[in-house]
Amino acid sequence: MTERDDDRSIVKRAEEFLQAFKKGAEFTQELLKENERLRFQLLELKESLRGPEKSYPSDSQDPEKDHLRRKVRDLEQERVEILDRIRQVEKENLDFANRYVEIEAENNKLANLYIASYQLHSTLDFREVLQIIMEIIINLIGGEEFGILLLDEKAKKLQAVASEGIATGDFPIVPMGKGIIGQAAQTGENYFIEEIAGYSRELSRPMVCIPLKIKEQVIGVIVIYKLLVQKDHFAEVDYELFTLLAGHAATAIFSSKLYSESERKLSTMQGFIELLTK
Amino acid sequence: MSAKNFKLLIVEDSPTMRQLIVFALKRVREFTIVEASDGVDGLKKIAGNRFDLILTDINMPIMDGLKLVSLVRNDPANKDVPIIIITTEGAQEDRERAMALGANEYLTKPIQPTRVLEAVKRLLKV
């Protein structure tokens, strides 16, 4: 064997030794970890055995049976507590569900009111405002036969300017304070009949009469004589819509009339100016 | 709720009513809403688009809702599109007539947004 062969053999053995040493080190580390894990488990077991003994005194010869009985008692109590908690959560869920339905209804009501007021103030054209009021009465309230009467300030009389289901010309001209319509216009109070079912149409006796008010000044009234066949009673939202109509519809009518008048005056003035400057 | 987007057409001559329906349906993000002011306008929009559901009124100028329903049902491309009628006509015979023409749902005014939304969701299976 040559010197070179000897060297190779030494290197090879050294490498083998290093490999063996590394494996040994890894094995030792694993053993240490395992040892740590087992110590932890042992501690846990000791704790679990010691725990119940502290709170529950032994009542038989067999500690294992005692332990199991206590465990069963604890579990039963836990079960009762869980069932109570479930009942409580179910009650809370029901409350939340009811609240959700209420909020949903409120949300729908607000949406209706918002759209009605938005539409009413979306134009300054008098005819268009009347049309929007009629759309609201049909689509949101469910009116089938109704009219819009406006007050002639000089004559102190109410006269129909728009209607649905009844010809506008058929409406009576109502003096302020006379009959149900005149009274509602004078007092500014909404009027509703007691029972919709027994009502029969009479133009001087509407089923609903809503004064159109700007602050306390009445500028007209909305009178309803018939509701859609599928609408047999007034809903809560209807009263809110009537209140909204009383204010917003009146403002919209008033603004549009004022605007039309000012437009007319403006065009007259422009006509004069053109005439003078020519 | 499915992530699929749905395209809905509302055919209604009353702007107030249209706005109310749009308001009710816009709660569902997946809905894209197109508006038409009468039956003819609705047909024009149907011709250029593919809708998943149509809501229509009956009483409208130029072309009423029932005519629109029958035209949609006779169109092979749209014969299966669900149609909801929202109308003031509450009589049973009106309902039967509309359903016989091919409407899938018949809702009466005054409008209840919850009922509209429920019907739309049911028909679109969302």
Side-chain angles (χ1 to χ4, degrees):
Chain A
M1 193 177 283
T2 62
E3 198 176 320
R4 200 173 166 183
D5 285 336
D6 275 341
D7 284 351
R8 276 185 190 161
S9 168
I10 288 165
V11 168
K12 196 180 172 189
R13 277 165 65 190
E15 275 174 4
E16 282 172 354
F17 177 73
L18 266 172
Q19 289 292 329
F21 181 77
K22 274 183 187 172
K23 279 184 184 168
E26 278 169 12
F27 184 65
T28 311
Q29 274 188 344
E30 275 173 23
L31 275 177
L32 279 168
K33 276 183 189 170
E34 187 61 21
N35 187 29
E36 189 67 29
R37 196 177 63 79
L38 288 170
R39 277 173 64 191
F40 184 71
Q41 276 188 353
L42 185 68
L43 207 68
E44 272 188 324
L45 277 169
K46 276 183 183 170
E47 281 295 318
S48 68
L49 286 171
R50 199 186 301 148
E53 280 170 10
K54 273 180 194 167
S55 49
Y56 301 106
S58 169
D59 60 354
S60 83
Q61 296 295 323
D62 190 343
E64 184 64 20
K65 274 187 185 173
D66 280 351
H67 171 64
L68 287 172
R69 274 194 204 102
R70 279 193 294 275
K71 197 83 183 165
V72 168
R73 272 203 303 274
D74 288 351
L75 286 170
E76 275 176 354
Q77 189 163 352
E78 201 176 322
R79 183 175 154 270
V80 170
E81 281 169 11
I82 289 169
L83 284 173
D84 279 349
R85 183 78 193 122
I86 288 171
R87 271 191 289 274
Q88 202 181 332
V89 168
E90 276 175 352
K91 191 180 168 294
E92 276 173 17
N93 278 348
L94 191 70
D95 289 345
F96 280 128
N98 290 336
R99 187 81 192 110
Y100 176 78
V101 171
E102 278 173 27
I103 289 170
E104 190 67 13
E106 193 67 23
N107 189 21
N108 290 334
K109 198 196 289 184
L110 286 172
N112 283 4
L113 294 173
Y114 163 75
I115 287 164
S117 57
Y118 176 85
Q119 288 291 333
L120 281 169
H121 297 295
S122 65
T123 178
L124 280 169
D125 183 275
F126 177 63
R127 281 284 135 200
E128 219 174 306
V129 168
L130 292 179
Q131 188 58 39
I132 290 166
I133 295 172
M134 297 213 292
E135 272 186 22
I136 290 169
I137 298 172
I138 298 169
N139 294 314
L140 297 187
I141 293 171
E144 193 174 348
E145 291 177 358
F146 55 88
I148 303 168
L149 281 67
L150 290 186
L151 179 68
D152 179 340
E153 280 289 345
K154 284 178 191 161
K156 293 282 174 202
K157 283 179 179 169
L158 295 149
Q159 189 168 359
V161 288
S163 62
E164 176 75 24
I166 306 167
T168 310
D170 289 352
F171 280 85
I173 295 173
V174 184
M176 245 341 217
K178 195 182 172 195
I180 291 169
I181 300 171
Q183 276 291 317
Q186 196 165 50
T187 59
E189 298 288 329
N190 292 351
Y191 167 83
F192 299 93
I193 54 158
E194 298 287 324
E195 190 62 54
I196 290 176
Y199 175 80
S200 62
R201 196 181 87 183
E202 202 180 315
L203 288 178
S204 60
R205 293 176 59 82
M207 65 163 62
V208 178
C209 190
I210 309 295
L212 298 167
K213 288 189 290 187
I214 300 174
K215 288 192 176 172
E216 290 312 308
Q217 194 193 345
V218 175
I219 64 153
V221 288
I222 291 171
V223 281
I224 300 176
Y225 296 94
K226 191 180 174 192
L227 298 177
L228 296 171
V229 66
Q230 63 271 18
K231 172 113 181 175
D232 54 5
H233 68 282
F234 288 116
E236 198 60 41
V237 70
D238 294 334
Y239 298 104
E240 310 246 7
L241 277 165
F242 286 137
T243 312
L244 176 111
L245 276 175
H248 288 254
T251 318
I253 287 173
F254 189 75
S255 314
S256 61
K257 276 182 89 173
L258 218 62
Y259 182 76
S260 310
E261 278 170 26
S262 64
E263 280 284 287
R264 224 177 16 249
K265 279 178 187 165
L266 183 71
S267 62
T268 314
M269 281 164 72
Q270 274 172 342
F272 271 126
I273 290 166
E274 273 174 28
L275 208 71
L276 289 167
T277 52
K278 262 184 186 175
Chain B
M1 175 73 63
S2 156
K4 189 191 167 191
N5 282 313
F6 294 97
K7 205 166 180 181
L8 282 69
L9 175 69
I10 300 169
V11 189
E12 167 67 70
D13 61 321
S14 154
T16 311
M17 189 67 192
R18 243 183 7 240
Q19 204 180 359
L20 266 169
I21 302 171
V22 170
F23 212 87
L25 297 176
K26 271 197 175 163
R27 289 186 202 174
V28 182
R29 276 192 202 165
E30 287 81 5
F31 291 169
T32 305
I33 299 159
V34 177
E35 298 175 41
S37 56
D38 57 60
V40 172
D41 190 22
L43 268 185
K44 277 184 201 161
K45 283 174 178 155
I46 289 167
N49 290 284
R50 169 78 197 155
F51 290 102
D52 297 290
L53 188 137
I54 298 167
L55 296 108
T56 180
D57 187 11
I58 291 184
N59 299 320
M60 287 182 291
I62 310 175
M63 183 195 285
D64 70 30
L66 293 179
K67 181 77 182 161
L68 177 72
V69 172
S70 72
L71 287 171
V72 170
R73 284 289 169 258
N74 289 325
D75 172 12
N78 290 300
K79 66 180 173 56
D80 296 322
V81 177
I83 301 176
I84 298 175
I85 285 185
I86 303 176
T87 177
T88 50
E89 311 297 334
Q92 188 59 28
E93 55 266 33
D94 294 315
R95 176 186 292 268
E96 282 164 8
R97 195 168 157 226
M99 298 307 267
L101 280 169
N104 300 78
E105 192 77 46
Y106 193 90
L107 304 176
T108 51
K109 294 177 189 176
I111 183 182
Q112 285 171 12
T114 328
R115 277 177 60 207
V116 177
L117 197 57
E118 273 171 13
V120 169
K121 282 182 174 179
R122 191 171 57 250
L123 289 170
L124 290 176
K125 297 185 176 70
V126 291

